[in-house]
Amino acid sequence: MRTSRKAKRIRRHYGRMHKPGGLNLVSLMDIFTILVFFLMVNSSDVKVMQNTADVPLPKSTAQQEAVESLTVQVTGNAILVQGSEVARLDGIENADTYIAGLSEELSWRRNRWAEIPEEGLEVTIMAGRDTDYRLLRKVMQTCVDEQYRQVRLAVEGEVRNG
């Protein structure tokens, strides 16, 4: 049987207009763009210090928020500044009052400042609960000797209900 021109035209039109729809990504891209800007703006409100699992911090009930500053971390076998190792604990002498590798790193970072504030630079020390006090005192003394006189000790905040 032969189809008429009108039937062919209708079939062609129906075939063009009733194809499965394509994926429209414009709306999805708009949502993701807004989400990215929202996350970028709100991520600066949170003060989270990077901590490894092998440094259990002491508990504290202080209400003051953490201040972002240079971080010196005392782990089980090394001293890290901003995550990079500067000294090994087994190489630290008992008689020394400062730590050589830490002193060099702090000195290098201090020299990058155009002008050092009168009250000194800020540093946060992250040390575990079981860290030897003599080692902690050496770390603090090294920081103070290198003009990092605003020394803070990182603690883990207690969660309060109510």
Side-chain angles (χ1 to χ4, degrees):
M1 174 173 202
R2 209 175 138 163
T3 55
S4 68
R5 275 194 195 165
K6 184 176 181 182
K8 288 180 185 177
R9 187 175 46 85
I10 290 173
R11 191 176 305 133
R12 200 172 43 237
H13 175 72
Y14 182 79
R16 264 188 277 148
M17 300 311 278
H18 290 87
K19 287 184 181 176
L23 184 62
N24 186 359
L25 295 179
V26 174
S27 300
L28 188 62
M29 288 173 32
D30 288 345
I31 290 171
F32 279 125
T33 304
I34 292 169
L35 185 63
V36 166
F37 285 118
F38 174 77
L39 292 174
M40 284 174 45
V41 168
N42 289 330
S43 68
S44 64
D45 294 342
V46 179
K47 300 280 191 267
V48 177
M49 299 182 74
Q50 297 297 326
N51 188 11
T52 58
D54 61 344
V55 182
L57 295 175
K59 301 282 186 203
S60 173
T61 58
Q63 298 298 317
Q64 188 175 2
E65 290 290 323
V67 176
E68 202 166 316
S69 64
L70 182 69
T71 304
V72 175
Q73 188 174 14
V74 181
T75 63
N77 56 358
I79 296 176
L80 311 171
V81 175
Q82 294 298 106
S84 62
E85 185 176 317
V86 295
R88 306 279 307 164
L89 294 184
D90 54 8
I92 297 173
E93 305 286 328
N94 285 337
D96 289 343
T97 58
Y98 75 98
I99 301 165
L102 178 61
S103 178
E104 292 168 9
E105 179 69 20
L106 293 176
S107 174
W108 179 78
R109 289 180 183 269
R110 182 194 68 229
N111 289 335
R112 292 175 45 195
W113 283 77
E115 184 178 331
I116 298 172
E118 187 176 319
E119 63 274 2
L121 300 171
E122 297 178 0
V123 66
T124 302
I125 299 174
M126 296 176 73
R129 288 179 226 134
D130 54 349
T131 303
D132 184 36
Y133 177 71
R134 282 172 273 190
L135 173 62
L136 189 59
R137 190 175 65 184
K138 285 181 189 181
V139 171
M140 288 191 290
Q141 185 62 49
T142 304
C143 291
V144 169
D145 290 346
E146 293 299 330
Q147 297 181 358
Y148 287 85
R149 292 189 296 265
Q150 293 187 37
V151 179
R152 293 182 177 90
L153 296 176
V155 292
E156 191 172 322
E158 243 180 37
V159 178
R160 294 184 179 186
N161 295 328

